[in-house]
Amino acid sequence: MTTLSPDERIAQLIMVAAYSNRGADHKKEILKLIEEQKIGGVIFFQGDPATQVRLMNDYQEASKVPLLGAIDAEWGLGMRLDNTINYPFQMALGAIQDNELLYKMGVEVAKQIKRTGLHLNFAPVVDVNNNPNNPVINYRSFGEDKFNVADKSIAYMRGMQDEHLLTTAKHFPGHGDTDTDSHYSLPQINHPLVRLDSLELYPFKKIMEAGIGGVMVAHLDIPALDTTGVPSTLSKPIISGLLKETLGFEGLIVTDAMNMKGVTNGNLPGVVDKDAILAGNDLLEFTEDVPKAISEIRKAINAGLISQKEVDQRVRKILAVKQWVGLNEYEPVSPKDIMDDVNNPEAVLLNRKLVEASLTVLKNENNMLPIRELHELKIASVSFGAKKKTAFQEALSLYAEVNHFRLPVDASEERVQEVREKLAGYDLVIGGIHDQSKFPRNSLKLSSEAQDLITELSGKKNSIFTFFKNPYVLNKIDGIENSEALIVTYQDTENAQELAAQLIFGGVSANGKLPVSVGDKFKSGDGLEVQGGIRFSYTLPEEVGMDSKMLNHHIDSLMNQAITVKATPGGQILVAKDQKVIFHKAYGEHVYHDTIKVKKDDLYDLASVTKISTSMAALMKLYEEDKFELDGTLADHLPKFKRSNKSDIPFTDILTHQARFQPWIPFWKNTLRKNGSYRWWTIKKDSSARYPIKITENMYLHRNYPNKIVKAIRKSPLREEKEYVYSDFFFILAPRVVESRTEEDFPTFLENSFYGPLGATTMGFNPEYPKNKIVPTEHDYAFRHEPIHGTVHDEGAIMLGGVSGHAGLFANANDLAKLLQMYLNMGEYGGKRYLKEETLKKFTKRQFPDSDNYRALGFDKRRPNSKGVVNNTAPDASQASFGHTGFTGIMVWMDPEVDLLYIFLSNRVSPTRENHRLYQLDTRTEIQQVLYDAMKKNVQKTDKEEIEVKEG
């Protein structure tokens, strides 16, 4: 303070606008103001974090006194800087019931702002928005309830200030009840003092009591507080009288931007800044003419309009702020890794949690949400205001088969009518009403025809609407309040769309409360609780205590290695923990050097994973219905086996692969003569009643050949020793065993009992999908003499018409995961019980613990070799874990001890089954071990934190 000249002291009260996207000339302008005028601070606007850091370092180096760096980041850095996080707008935050989340947001926002070299955030907005037509506050407010606004503001403020980022409550004395934007003209508020004191001022008083460091004064004309008509920014009665004297605020008082029309109209640059200082402000934001402002303030001091002592008191306050934020120990900020730091996974996860916590259900007639019964439910979605498939629609398809329609803002009457007619054939219509801009303004641009369709659908009993807009807009749509189910997300972000879809199907819960009233339709505080957690949620690894960076780095590395050395052309990997999908990626191409990249919804041939996905599911269900007994035999279900050598072998031995069965029979070879041609009665080029079983387009198998396969199994010799030898034989017979006790064929039984209710829409035999959605397998030079694409790879399964209990099932990782998660949940998924807990526990435990057979009933178990080294799973997989692998390079594994599901889908047999590199690299189990390492890393981190807390 003692080193500053009188003019340098005045300059400390001035903050100018800086940009990190305006180039060298702008930088020179700011440096000139710093070096010549000795300004006290800068407020950054548009740009990017790394450039901002480098600029701020240069500006600090040029400044005699460390600069106070500010930013107007109400919803985080994303409000101003490219490629940074946009947290929800305050109206969405106003719906949240757990204020601790807002505190955490404050902490994270503070860390990110400080990481970019700044010290002051012009936030939070504590205006009570009680005017739906407010054009400037609106969604920037926590709502219309003064108590909610105060509580939310205090939580957000405390989070930031606990990290030593100064904050300002704005826009004093309250900008919520205006219909004019102070950026363009001066709004007038005509309420009496009693009303202002009890409502508009309430949150300001509360947040001051809570210890906020600063207050920003708005540009408002409030006759009840100052009859002169000057903007509140220039009003001594409002700032010195009300704010300082009556309310006793001693913190930093900041003007709103001094370039806004609400204050500049009729006021000259420099002069208006002087008037703001005379009114009682401490810091001038966005001064347009710095030399003129210093000159005018100096004149005011010389004229006795304000004393040097008063100016010095404010300068000391500015310097005290600089000391409080740590500028007395200033060090340059490194731009290295800044993008990773400001977009760290914990911050990204917090953003999702805030959106999830804000989801507000305004209608839920007959407990429609979450949707429970999926089987035979024909579902459509309509995105109103969207030109292409939305993230909302993509997320809906994760849970069920949904046909999607879109109606853009300007949808014609003909297009609306076309969609209307198509929707008539659906049992459930899910509507998404989208915004047309980044900001959820109180406007609706949908064509009247599209609005009419919304009204029409809202009146039906089979509609769910999700409103991705400002809730005030609900008042502009006739009848939408009549919807069976109505969800409000407050804004149209990818997070909001994904989480709304998860809410609809029970992946997440909702308990948000509407922070504003919507005409006569809904009142502030409305909101119904909906309990989720019945199906998968899709989230980040951090939500279950796993490390995103570690998982992505190591799994990507291992998969890229496998693809590079041609162990597999590509693959899908899905990981779920605690019924949360925390990793789901597609890698590589359908075949080597292909133009078709693997997508997450592509279908894979599941090979022997078919055994646990078809046969075992069916047998466990029949076991519970007393239609299948583990001490029963094949002869009990298949009469032809009564006089076979397999007639008295119990299913316990069969399902654990110790029934002395041969491993396999190359059934296809029996169709060939010695010269390589097909036997005349086995295969023909054209289909017919006698040759209905399609092998390829030019190969059709005799209708009796499946019986020949069964006969060959029945007549096959038994091995001499009763020991573990993996065999397909029983699982080839399993469909017949199941059908012997049901009134449905095998695929229909599975679809009705499991896949349909689970929403596993891609799971099935002989998939009817475009070939570009199905990943090819081997080029078969021995039997089919063509690349295998769209049909089962296994020769035995294709000779059975593609339907078998040992191979033949197709699915993508997401749909397969639903069945396997049901197993992991011990029989329950989607709010429905499919199997009893005791059944799953019985079938998935090791059956002969005192022998060398490690198998469960149909399921594989963790198996150490003779030296004690585990070679079929990750070393850290628990003894309770179970799963299966498949010949095409598939691996699925479930670990109930840590509630972990792992799915690895590949086509390592492309172009040949002789490719064993995937096994040699041990890629599948190496990736599985990464999952356990990621969990251990979190445990170690938690332990370290606990030690630090105890030592502290």
Side-chain angles (χ1 to χ4, degrees):
M1 179 69 180
T2 57
T3 66
L4 298 177
S5 69
D7 280 359
E8 289 174 345
R9 295 180 186 183
I10 295 171
Q12 282 296 302
L13 310 181
I14 294 174
M15 178 173 280
V16 300
Y19 299 80
S20 56
N21 62 354
R22 289 196 175 178
D25 290 343
H26 175 69
K27 179 180 179 180
K28 288 178 183 177
E29 292 175 12
I30 302 300
L31 285 171
K32 184 177 181 181
L33 290 172
I34 293 169
E35 292 165 351
E36 295 182 3
Q37 304 299 324
K38 305 296 191 291
I39 58 172
V42 293
I43 172 173
F44 273 95
F45 288 90
Q46 294 91 350
D48 69 272
T51 305
Q52 179 175 291
V53 163
R54 286 189 283 265
L55 286 173
M56 194 62 182
N57 287 342
D58 291 343
Y59 295 158
Q60 292 286 23
E61 185 178 359
S63 184
K64 176 179 178 180
V65 178
L67 295 163
L68 186 65
I71 193 167
D72 195 353
E74 296 165 19
W75 52 87
L77 286 178
M79 182 172 175
R80 299 298 179 191
L81 301 184
D82 298 335
N83 302 313
T84 55
I85 295 174
N86 284 289
Y87 288 102
F89 297 124
Q90 285 190 193
M91 183 177 286
L93 299 176
I96 295 174
Q97 299 307 293
D98 181 6
N99 289 339
E100 180 66 18
L101 282 171
L102 277 82
Y103 175 86
K104 291 178 179 178
M105 173 181 160
V107 169
E108 192 56 51
V109 167
K111 289 178 179 178
Q112 292 174 30
I113 290 175
K114 290 170 65 179
R115 181 66 183 84
T116 63
L118 307 182
H119 324 95
L120 169 61
N121 189 10
F122 291 139
V125 173
V126 302
D127 302 316
V128 180
N129 198 85
N130 38 31
N131 187 336
N133 297 316
N134 193 318
V136 61
I137 304 304
N138 204 297
Y139 59 86
R140 296 165 62 197
S141 164
F142 287 117
E144 69 179 46
D145 183 285
K146 65 180 182 180
F147 304 106
N148 190 41
V149 170
D151 291 344
K152 296 289 191 296
S153 300
I154 290 169
Y156 185 22
M157 173 273 291
R158 281 180 171 155
M160 289 188 280
Q161 291 196 171
D162 281 357
E163 287 294 319
H164 270 247
L165 181 83
L166 197 73
T167 66
T168 63
K170 64 184 187 184
H171 306 80
F172 185 84
H175 206 324
D177 195 4
T178 66
D179 53 15
T180 304
D181 187 342
S182 54
H183 289 85
Y184 305 108
S185 60
L186 183 65
Q188 188 177 70
I189 296 178
N190 286 306
H191 295 303
L193 182 58
V194 173
R195 149 69 190 261
L196 294 170
D197 183 62
S198 64
L199 182 58
E200 275 77 9
L201 287 173
Y202 179 84
F204 288 97
K205 290 187 283 187
K206 288 299 179 182
I207 203 167
M208 290 177 205
E209 292 172 8
I212 194 162
V215 167
M216 177 183 283
V217 182
H219 307 311
L220 299 169
D221 174 13
I222 311 175
L225 299 178
D226 188 337
T227 58
T228 65
V230 301
S232 47
T233 339
L234 311 180
S235 169
K236 193 165 187 175
I238 291 175
I239 299 172
S240 296
L242 175 61
L243 181 55
K244 288 184 175 182
E245 295 172 13
T246 303
L247 299 181
F249 184 66
E250 298 179 347
L252 186 70
I253 301 174
V254 186
T255 68
D256 206 343
M258 296 301 290
N259 69 330
M260 292 167 62
K261 300 299 183 184
V263 71
T264 61
N265 282 344
N267 295 304
L268 295 174
V271 176
V272 74
D273 299 278
K274 175 260 296 181
D275 290 342
I277 292 297
L278 294 180
N281 291 287
D282 301 317
L283 183 62
L284 302 169
E285 181 207 345
F286 214 135
T287 294
E288 293 188 284
D289 188 336
V290 174
K292 180 70 171 174
I294 294 173
S295 173
E296 290 295 326
I297 295 170
R298 169 55 51 202
K299 289 179 185 178
I301 294 171
N302 294 338
L305 300 177
I306 186 172
S307 68
Q308 184 67 49
K309 182 178 180 181
E310 287 178 284
V311 171
D312 287 353
Q313 286 176 340
R314 298 182 198 179
V315 176
R316 289 184 187 279
K317 189 185 291 186
I318 300 290
L319 295 176
V321 166
K322 292 183 176 184
Q323 180 174 340
W324 185 81
V325 298
L327 281 170
N328 56 313
E329 298 176 346
Y330 166 75
E331 291 184 2
V333 176
S334 171
K336 184 181 179 182
D337 299 326
I338 189 168
M339 294 309 297
D340 288 339
D341 293 342
V342 298
N343 293 302
N344 67 83
E346 289 79 9
V348 175
L349 175 62
L350 175 61
N351 196 16
R352 286 183 71 87
K353 284 184 169 293
L354 289 162
V355 174
E356 180 182 337
S358 73
L359 295 176
T360 304
V361 177
L362 294 178
K363 294 290 295 295
N364 190 21
E365 298 296 324
N366 302 311
N367 292 316
M368 179 176 273
L369 300 175
I371 298 171
R372 292 182 178 270
E373 297 297 332
L374 299 181
H375 193 33
E376 297 182 354
L377 189 63
K378 191 175 181 183
I379 307 173
S381 79
V382 187
S383 284
F384 293 88
K387 292 183 178 180
K388 59 182 181 180
K389 193 174 184 180
T390 61
F392 179 56
Q393 292 177 317
E394 295 279 3
L396 291 173
S397 291
L398 291 171
Y399 292 95
E401 183 174 0
V402 182
N403 294 323
H404 303 295
F405 302 92
R406 286 164 296 286
L407 287 171
V409 171
D410 56 354
S412 66
E413 184 176 356
E414 292 75 18
R415 175 58 182 159
V416 172
Q417 180 59 27
E418 180 184 343
V419 171
R420 176 185 283 112
E421 291 173 0
K422 289 181 178 178
L423 294 178
Y426 288 88
D427 305 307
L428 175 64
V429 177
I430 302 173
I433 302 175
H434 296 268
D435 212 326
Q436 294 85 42
S437 67
K438 177 181 177 182
F439 304 108
R441 306 191 189 282
N442 188 359
S443 61
L444 182 65
K445 298 180 181 179
L446 288 175
S447 67
S448 59
E449 291 82 6
Q451 292 186 49
D452 289 344
L453 181 57
I454 294 172
T455 301
E456 180 183 322
L457 293 172
S458 298
K460 296 182 178 180
K461 300 298 182 183
N462 65 337
S463 65
I464 295 172
F465 275 99
T466 301
F467 204 70
F468 298 104
K469 291 176 68 65
N470 188 315
Y472 286 130
V473 183
L474 288 168
N475 210 33
K476 301 177 187 290
I477 302 178
D478 292 337
I480 193 168
E481 69 277 11
N482 298 323
S483 304
E484 285 287 286
L486 178 60
I487 303 164
V488 176
T489 70
Y490 303 95
Q491 55 197 93
D492 198 3
T493 64
E494 190 167 309
N495 275 341
Q497 291 190 39
E498 291 177 358
L499 288 164
Q502 294 186 37
L503 167 62
I504 287 170
F505 284 101
V508 300
S509 302
N511 67 347
K513 304 293 183 186
L514 195 64
V516 295
S517 296
V518 181
D520 296 328
K521 294 182 177 181
F522 301 103
K523 297 301 179 187
S524 174
D526 284 354
L528 305 169
E529 291 194 13
V530 173
Q531 188 63 44
I534 64 171
R535 292 190 179 93
F536 280 128
S537 63
Y538 296 80
T539 183
L540 301 180
E542 280 69 22
E543 186 160 353
V544 295
M546 298 172 76
D547 189 293
S548 290
K549 291 181 180 178
M550 180 178 181
L551 290 177
N552 283 291
H553 173 73
H554 289 295
I555 295 176
D556 288 358
S557 177
L558 288 165
M559 276 302 290
N560 290 333
Q561 176 197 43
I563 293 168
T564 299
V565 302
K566 294 189 175 180
T568 180
Q572 291 174 8
I573 296 176
L574 184 145
V575 180
K577 187 177 188 317
D578 303 335
Q579 200 169 277
K580 301 177 190 298
V581 176
I582 52 92
F583 190 96
H584 187 195
K585 276 190 177 183
Y587 295 87
E589 301 161 339
H590 277 207
V591 297
Y592 296 110
H593 309 300
D594 197 1
T595 59
I596 302 178
K597 302 291 185 183
V598 178
K599 298 181 178 64
K600 291 191 291 186
D601 59 352
D602 288 342
L603 278 68
Y604 274 83
D605 182 332
L606 301 184
S608 283
V609 170
T610 299
K611 293 179 174 67
I612 66 168
S613 304
T614 63
S615 300
M616 295 315 304
L619 293 175
M620 285 189 285
K621 183 171 179 60
L622 294 181
Y623 171 80
E624 292 184 353
E625 296 173 353
D626 296 324
K627 297 177 181 178
F628 175 80
E629 296 179 353
L630 290 172
D631 57 1
T633 67
L634 279 172
D636 295 332
H637 296 267
L638 305 178
K640 289 183 179 181
F641 279 78
K642 286 183 178 179
R643 288 186 292 275
S644 75
N645 58 1
K646 303 169 183 66
S647 63
D648 59 351
I649 301 174
F651 281 119
T652 302
D653 285 345
I654 292 173
L655 294 175
T656 53
H657 297 278
Q658 63 175 29
R660 297 191 290 146
F661 291 172
Q662 299 295 322
W664 71 300
I665 296 174
F667 302 109
W668 65 272
K669 289 186 177 180
N670 295 329
T671 67
L672 300 177
R673 296 189 180 99
K674 289 183 179 181
N675 64 5
S677 64
Y678 299 114
R679 299 180 189 275
W680 71 269
W681 61 270
T682 58
I683 290 175
K684 300 294 183 184
K685 289 184 178 180
D686 297 312
S687 65
S688 66
R690 295 184 68 191
Y691 293 87
I693 302 172
K694 184 177 179 180
I695 306 297
T696 71
E697 291 295 337
N698 299 307
M699 291 177 64
Y700 290 87
L701 186 66
H702 194 281
R703 63 191 178 193
N704 289 334
Y705 206 89
N707 292 331
K708 295 271 187 187
I709 291 175
V710 174
K711 183 177 180 180
I713 292 173
R714 180 168 59 85
K715 288 190 171 184
S716 64
L718 294 175
R719 294 171 58 85
E720 292 185 6
E721 298 294 329
K722 183 180 179 179
E723 59 185 359
Y724 168 70
V725 175
Y726 184 82
S727 172
D728 282 343
F729 280 5
F730 167 71
F731 292 94
I732 292 173
L733 303 171
R736 298 183 178 222
V737 171
V738 172
E739 290 169 357
S740 74
R741 292 293 188 268
T742 68
E743 296 179 357
E744 299 170 301
D745 61 61
F746 192 55
T748 303
F749 178 78
L750 291 168
E751 174 66 23
N752 291 338
S753 300
F754 296 100
Y755 308 155
L758 284 166
T761 57
T762 64
M763 287 187 77
F765 300 101
N766 298 315
E768 295 180 0
Y769 285 84
K771 283 194 173 182
N772 63 359
K773 298 302 298 177
I774 305 172
V775 180
T777 51
E778 186 176 16
H779 192 129
D780 183 355
Y781 290 99
F783 178 43
R784 283 165 278 190
H785 304 286
E786 68 176 24
I788 308 305
H789 191 183
T791 56
V792 59
H793 172 261
D794 184 270
E795 297 90 349
I798 196 64
M799 297 174 81
L800 293 165
V803 177
S804 179
H806 79 292
L809 195 68
F810 285 76
N812 60 36
N814 185 66
D815 280 345
L816 177 59
K818 296 168 187 175
L819 177 72
L820 301 184
Q821 185 67 46
M822 182 269 285
Y823 290 165
L824 191 53
N825 292 348
M826 294 293 117
E828 190 172 10
Y829 185 79
K832 176 182 174 68
R833 179 157 290 282
Y834 293 84
L835 297 167
K836 297 175 182 176
E837 181 175 352
E838 54 266 31
T839 301
L840 264 301
K841 287 183 175 179
K842 183 178 186 66
F843 275 73
T844 60
K845 75 175 182 180
R846 186 179 172 191
Q847 297 297 302
F848 302 102
D850 297 328
S851 73
D852 292 333
N853 187 339
Y854 284 84
R855 301 289 296 207
L857 294 169
F859 294 90
D860 199 4
K861 296 287 286 183
R862 183 176 182 270
R863 283 182 280 127
N865 62 19
S866 58
K867 296 181 180 179
V869 178
V870 177
N871 57 11
N872 71 324
T873 69
D876 284 353
S878 76
Q879 296 286 356
S881 68
F882 57 94
H884 215 285
T885 56
F887 189 76
T888 53
I890 310 295
M891 179 180 179
V892 302
W893 213 263
M894 294 143 276
D895 193 337
E897 285 197 3
V898 289
D899 201 359
L900 182 70
L901 168 61
Y902 167 55
I903 296 176
F904 181 102
L905 303 185
S906 80
N907 56 332
R908 67 98 194 162
V909 295
S910 175
T912 172
R913 69 184 65 194
E914 302 306 319
N915 178 11
H916 301 295
R917 295 188 187 98
L918 191 67
Y919 306 146
Q920 293 160 357
L921 290 172
D922 212 14
T923 302
R924 299 178 298 181
T925 56
E926 289 281 350
I927 290 174
Q928 188 185 25
Q929 183 58 40
V930 170
L931 311 181
Y932 289 93
D933 292 342
M935 286 188 282
K936 285 191 291 186
K937 180 178 179 181
N938 178 67
V939 171
Q940 292 167 355
K941 178 182 177 182
T942 303
D943 290 345
K944 181 181 177 183
E945 290 172 348
E946 288 179 356
I947 291 170
E948 290 174 348
V949 168
K950 289 176 182 177
E951 289 179 348

